Amino acid sequence: MTANSQAKLKLLRITQMLQDETDATQGLSMSDIIQRLNEQGIQAERKSVYRDLDLLRQFGLDVRTFQRNPVQYAIVKRSFSLPELKILVDTVQACPFVTQRQADALVRTIREMASPSQRSQLARPVHVSNRVRQKSESVLGNVDLAHRALAAKSQVTFDYAAPSPEGGAETAGESTSHTHTPVAIAYAEGTYHLACWNEADERFDTFRMDRMENLEISERPAVRSDAIRSFSFDS
């Protein structure tokens, strides 16, 4: 590894350790930083680490110096405050349109944005009365794909399992194939809904996105009309 490459890697490692191990209450001493770098096979001197810390400040990171014994260095300001992260965790835990596995993965990602001392405070199970947790993992992908189709002004194709007349709204019936122009997305009654223009029948149809399978963006361009431009879920 060249000296220039090692210097760049050293700067990245210092950034990572400050983000992972420090916050407004705890920092790393110069000895801590140099020892961690040595453990990763990176030789460093105090002067070079001081220069790296100055570079991080110039870049815009909130690297603070705590006048303690020994002196410590820490990244204090983060993208989200602890109360904001708690709200994000609570929202994910209460969200019915993601599966439990997806919720757990999202919470783990949110916790990574906190400092180590804050992560224990983000273990916040939330009970929501009468919530039915989504079983299909396709919803998040379907919502993203539908947004992409809207932006690309393309039609979408999908299979749709309508509610079973015998089993009620939560029981899937026979699956049918569709090709429509997506018009708008809404969130209501615990799940996402996609409004589409049904060109064959010249009407708007709304589909629950948790019942959509094999959703794909079609090569066919979206239909354009005054009715589509003026569509509103509230109308």
Side-chain angles (χ1 to χ4, degrees):
M1 183 183 296
T2 65
N4 187 45
S5 297
Q6 177 143 336
K8 292 178 180 178
L9 181 59
K10 175 163 64 70
L11 181 62
L12 293 172
R13 293 297 189 189
I14 291 173
T15 305
Q16 183 180 43
M17 70 176 72
L18 291 177
Q19 288 178 332
D20 290 348
E21 301 183 49
T22 70
D23 57 26
T25 61
Q26 62 183 33
L28 291 174
S29 69
M30 181 60 66
S31 297
D32 292 332
I33 294 172
I34 292 175
Q35 179 182 342
R36 281 163 173 72
L37 290 172
N38 289 337
E39 290 171 353
Q40 298 174 54
I42 300 173
Q43 300 300 314
E45 298 177 349
R46 286 177 175 266
K47 287 184 179 181
S48 68
V49 174
Y50 285 134
R51 288 196 296 269
D52 288 335
L53 295 173
D54 285 337
L55 281 174
L56 294 179
R57 293 187 184 99
Q58 292 175 34
F59 183 69
L61 292 182
D62 188 23
V63 179
R64 302 282 183 90
T65 302
F66 296 154
Q67 297 300 331
R68 299 168 179 166
N69 188 17
V71 174
Q72 293 183 337
Y73 305 91
I75 290 180
V76 174
K77 186 177 180 180
R78 294 175 177 270
S79 299
F80 295 93
S81 67
L82 181 59
E84 290 170 335
L85 292 175
K86 288 179 178 179
I87 290 173
L88 289 175
V89 168
D90 289 350
T91 301
V92 169
Q93 294 282 20
C95 186
F97 64 81
V98 295
T99 66
Q100 188 61 56
R101 190 181 75 87
Q102 288 174 324
D104 292 342
L106 286 168
V107 169
R108 284 195 298 270
T109 300
I110 294 171
R111 292 184 69 190
E112 287 300 313
M113 292 187 283
S115 67
S117 63
Q118 295 172 336
R119 288 171 192 163
S120 61
Q121 300 182 55
L122 295 177
R124 296 161 59 86
V126 175
H127 172 73
V128 180
S129 298
N130 302 319
R131 177 185 64 192
V132 178
R133 175 68 79 181
Q134 179 61 243
K135 295 181 179 180
S136 172
E137 295 196 349
S138 64
V139 179
L140 292 181
N142 284 348
V143 172
D144 177 64
L145 203 62
H147 276 294
R148 287 163 51 194
L150 286 166
K153 295 181 174 55
S154 299
Q155 294 190 35
V156 292
T157 63
F158 56 91
D159 298 324
Y160 188 71
S164 170
E166 297 81 13
E170 296 304 322
T171 304
E174 183 178 353
S175 179
T176 55
S177 297
H178 299 264
T179 300
H180 296 312
T181 292
V183 177
I185 299 170
Y187 178 75
E189 299 175 353
T191 192
Y192 282 94
H193 302 261
L194 179 65
C196 295
W197 174 251
N198 184 329
E199 187 176 7
D201 297 332
E202 295 188 341
R203 71 184 187 198
F204 292 105
D205 290 332
T206 301
F207 301 89
R208 278 181 47 165
M209 299 191 75
D210 60 326
R211 294 191 179 280
M212 300 169 72
E213 297 291 342
N214 305 315
L215 178 65
E216 295 181 356
I217 299 176
S218 171
E219 295 182 356
R220 297 176 59 182
V223 175
R224 301 184 182 185
S225 69
D226 290 338
I228 293 174
R229 281 190 287 271
S230 62
F231 173 82
S232 171
F233 276 103
D234 298 326
S235 61

